[in-house]
Each structure stands twice: as C-alpha cells, then as structure tokens.
Amino acid sequence: MYKITPWEVSGDIDYSKIVKEFGLETISEHLMKRIEKHTKELHPLLRRGVFFAHRDLNWIIDEYEKGHHFFLYTGRGPSGHTHLGHILPWVFTQWLQEKFHVDLWFQMTDDEKFLFNDKLDLEQTRKLAYENALDVIALGFDEKKTKIFLDTEYAKTLYPQALKVAKRLTFSTAKAAFGFSNESNVGEIFFTSVQAVPAFLPSVLKGKNVPCLIPHAVDQDPHFRVARDILPKLGYYKPASIQSVFLPGLRGGKMSASEEGSAIYTTDSPETAKRKIMNAFTGGRDTVKEQKEKGANYSICPIYHYYRQLFMPDDKELASLESECKGGSILCGECKERLSKRVAAFLSDHQHKREQAKHHIEKFMIRD
Ligand code: TRP
C-alpha cells in the first residue's frame, strides 16, 4: 500500500502502478531518440529512467520541430532548506533549458506552504523561498531565460489568472484529485488554481499560445491533471509534463524533513553529510562474511540510488559498481566512503555557487 498526494507520500511506492493509476505514459525508446536528435546526448536521469513517465512530450517535440518553441515550468514549495531530492528535477530542468534554449518560469509557492503547514507563517515561507532560490540559481540556469517569483510577490499578475481557473474548478473535483475534507481550510482548496497559472501565463503575456513542459516529481501530477482539464476551456494548451521518481531517504523509505539523517541538505557541511551517509541503511548483508560470499542487493540501497541519480553519471562506472556490489567484492563501508567524497565535492562547489548567487538573485526575480 502507498499513498501519494502533493502533500503526503507514504508506503512502498510502485511506479508502474502509478503510471496506470495516474494515466501517464512511459518514455519509449522512440521518444528518447526524438529527444536525442535535438540534445545530441541523453541526460543520465533520462537514460536511467529516473524520469520515467510523461504526458504529451511527443507533442512538445512535434511543435519544437515546427519551430514553435515551448517554455519550461517548475517550482518549489518553500517549507525548509533544499535537500538533494529537491534538486533532482531542477538539475534535469537546467539541462533541458540548455539543450533546447528555452525559457523557464520557476514558481515559489510561499502561499501554499503557509496554507498547508501549521507551523510556518508567511514571513518564514517568504524567507525560505529566497533561500531555496539560491539553490536554483546555483545550478546554472540562464539569467536571461529564467524567471523566479514568489506567489505573494507576483500576486497582481497571478491572481486574475488563478481566478479564471478557480471558477472552472468545483470542490468535488478538487476533493477527488487531492483528497480534501470538510476540515480542509478553504485556501488549500483554492491553491491548485495558483499552481496552474504559470502553465499558461506566458501565453497570456505574449497574447498567443505557447506550449508548456513541466518537469516535476510525480507527486505533483494531480495539480497538472486538473490544469490539463481546465486550461483548454480557457483557450490555452494542455501543459505537457515529465515525471521523476523520488530520491530515496538515507534511512530507507522516503526522505523526510522530520527524520534526522534521512536527507542531505545543500547547506550541510561535508562532515554532516558524511555522518548521514555513514549511518545510512544499505542493501548489505548482516555480516562481512555473508556479504563477501553472497554479495549485496543494490536495488534497495539508498547509497546506490544516490550514485545512480546524482553522483555517477558515467554508465560504465555504474555498471562496474553494480557488479562489485552484487559480487560481494565491495563492502558497504567502502562504498559509503566513496560516496561521501563525491557528495563533499558537490557540496563545496554548490555552496560556493550559492554564495555567488546572492549577488545575482535580482537578475532572476520578478515581482509586480
Ligand atoms: N507544489 C510544489 C511543491 O510543494 C511547488 C511547485 C509549484 C511545483 N509549481 C510547480 C513543482 C511546478 C513542480 C512543478 O514543491
């Protein structure tokens, strides 16, 4: 059993079931080839199926080939510092921007995190949004092609558009998509209308329809299912999307902000990151002897998934790690040590860029 909504993910997630239940399409070889034709290479997150499903991506490529360029849209709910799981879709989005030379609209839903979180006030979610924006910028987005905004600071533009969506959305549809109850506050029920807006805002501003592609972790899909129903009724295209799996938590299961040590934050020191890695759950055996004889199980190992999703882009190197692990010639301690080094290198580089980003942030932010 698992549960997956934009605000709660629990249980053992079965991604092939999600594809069926959500009505997604898997990414075929043919589609990969179509992408590769334009990008010249395939990003590891695509090759390895970390981005595993989509809606209407063939249409996005059709339009692109006709010279009708799309824009990218993604976002972040600023409820805390950024962890490595959050940056995964952003890393991929940055690659898409670079390869297709397209604009990105990045939404910071400070309103959402205020509405859905009892402990956060609007001043806190606003501050967190600015912290998170530094992580976005540090990943190398093009300052000429990227717009970042907070919902509360871009409200004059967003609000009239959100109203158009809200007017077409009944409580019963919102309830079915998100599982609201009579106890849900009315802001929560309204909120998806705000998340729908960036999917068509560039069309409004340009006065002509522009295709939209949304890279996101699969838990956000209910928002865009709703948006896909409503936007054509307002005269806009349905947004296309591409969905990623989650980076697993280091303690096994999902990553959780409340479970200390389950996630590595971009603001963690290399020592903290190392401690979290060394204490992680693995796919290893109970004893060294047993592991040397029988090998370990990498498919359930968060350490392995950190390599696969973020820290080992070279396929040959990954294949050799897999065989070392399965064959019992590498033990978990050694494997964790090696990962810690890569994570430390990433963190020091990222933190440096994050500091630099403080000087450039105003080139990215839009307000009204
Ligand atoms: N609701 C998302 C979150 O909680 C933030 C978000 C807004 C988003 N717009 C998006 C995520 C578009 C992906 C794509 O993190």
Side-chain angles (χ1 to χ4, degrees):
M1 265 305 284
Y2 64 86
K3 185 169 176 195
I4 175 164
T5 77
W7 304 287
E8 188 190 349
V9 180
S10 62
D12 254 337
I13 303 165
D14 179 339
Y15 291 106
S16 52
K17 259 202 202 137
I18 288 179
V19 168
K20 284 207 198 85
E21 273 171 29
F22 286 17
L24 302 170
E25 277 183 69
T26 54
I27 301 173
S28 67
E29 280 298 312
H30 175 70
L31 180 51
M32 297 247 205
K33 287 258 153 57
R34 289 196 73 191
I35 297 168
E36 196 174 4
K37 209 179 118 202
H38 300 286
T39 59
K40 310 294 179 234
E41 55 175 18
L42 283 179
H43 195 279
L45 291 169
L46 206 48
R47 278 198 318 262
R48 295 176 182 170
V50 177
F51 275 84
F52 69 104
H54 74 100
R55 296 179 188 274
D56 282 343
L57 193 45
N58 272 301
W59 167 73
I60 287 285
I61 307 282
D62 289 343
E63 292 299 307
Y64 187 80
E65 290 176 352
K66 287 185 228 158
H68 193 196
H69 288 197
F70 59 93
F71 69 94
L72 294 159
Y73 159 38
T74 196
R76 158 80 178 141
S79 53
H81 272 296
T82 303
H83 62 52
L84 297 182
H86 298 132
I87 71 168
L88 198 140
W90 308 347
V91 165
F92 185 60
T93 303
Q94 190 278 326
W95 180 82
L96 289 172
Q97 177 178 67
E98 192 176 305
K99 298 295 172 183
F100 287 100
H101 315 284
V102 290
D103 289 344
L104 164 66
W105 288 73
F106 195 106
Q107 179 177 43
M108 292 287 178
T109 55
D110 58 337
D111 53 347
E112 175 191 17
K113 293 299 148 174
F114 168 67
L115 289 167
F116 283 85
N117 193 312
D118 293 340
K119 296 191 190 75
L120 294 172
D121 64 33
L122 274 172
E123 188 48 26
Q124 288 167 308
T125 58
R126 195 185 69 83
K127 283 205 176 116
L128 287 166
Y130 277 93
E131 286 294 320
N132 296 164
L134 298 176
D135 291 300
V136 173
I137 294 165
L139 293 175
F141 288 98
D142 182 339
E143 67 184 41
K144 295 201 181 68
K145 292 194 166 77
T146 305
K147 293 180 174 58
I148 306 176
F149 56 92
L150 275 62
D151 287 341
T152 59
E153 293 183 348
Y154 198 44
K156 209 168 148 185
T157 303
L158 298 176
Y159 188 59
Q161 306 308 327
L163 286 177
K164 294 189 204 161
V165 178
K167 195 173 184 176
R168 297 281 186 161
L169 177 60
T170 64
F171 178 42
S172 110
T173 301
K175 208 153 68 172
F178 303 104
F180 295 134
S181 71
N182 284 348
E183 281 63 51
S184 305
N185 72 56
V186 296
E188 291 177 322
I189 297 157
F190 175 77
F191 171 72
T192 194
S193 317
V194 180
Q195 187 154 326
V197 173
F200 65 101
L201 186 63
S203 300
V204 175
L205 299 177
K206 285 210 168 87
K208 69 174 176 83
N209 281 350
V210 192
C212 170
L213 173 61
I214 311 171
H216 64 86
V218 70
D219 62 329
Q220 296 297 310
D221 184 66
H223 285 296
F224 304 121
R225 235 148 49 211
V226 170
R228 284 168 58 85
D229 270 354
I230 296 177
L231 268 45
K233 297 180 189 159
L234 303 176
Y236 303 106
Y237 293 137
K238 288 184 181 194
S241 55
I242 179 163
Q243 287 79 22
S244 72
V245 305
F246 302 108
L247 184 68
L250 287 170
R251 290 306 179 88
K254 67 163 191 126
M255 206 157 351
S256 136
S258 53
E259 196 185 347
E260 162 58 21
S262 83
I264 294 171
Y265 289 84
T266 59
T267 46
D268 279 350
S269 67
E271 297 73 34
T272 302
K274 181 166 185 183
R275 180 173 45 76
K276 289 176 178 176
I277 291 170
M278 298 314 287
N279 288 329
F281 166 82
T282 71
R285 302 274 179 179
D286 292 340
T287 65
V288 170
K289 183 168 175 282
E290 205 187 340
Q291 183 148 342
K292 284 191 170 157
E293 279 165 23
K294 300 184 187 151
N297 180 4
Y298 61 76
S299 67
I300 61 158
C301 180
I303 299 295
Y304 167 74
H305 287 285
Y306 269 63
Y307 280 118
R308 195 174 94 99
Q309 299 190 12
L310 287 170
F311 294 101
M312 200 174 267
D314 183 330
D315 288 342
K316 284 202 192 98
E317 205 186 355
L318 189 72
S320 109
L321 179 68
E322 287 170 5
S323 66
E324 274 185 290
C325 174
K326 210 164 59 188
S329 66
I330 183 170
L331 296 177
C332 298
E334 165 72 17
C335 192
K336 287 172 162 178
E337 291 275 355
R338 289 191 204 166
L339 179 66
S340 302
K341 292 211 179 86
R342 291 184 185 214
V343 171
F346 166 79
L347 287 175
S348 74
D349 180 54
H350 183 82
Q351 286 164 11
H352 174 71
K353 290 178 178 155
R354 207 176 174 279
E355 281 306 307
Q356 300 281 303
K358 290 180 182 166
H359 307 298
H360 306 295
I361 186 162
E362 284 307 313
K363 293 180 192 143
F364 291 85
M365 301 305 301
I366 50 169
R367 304 180 188 88
D368 59 14

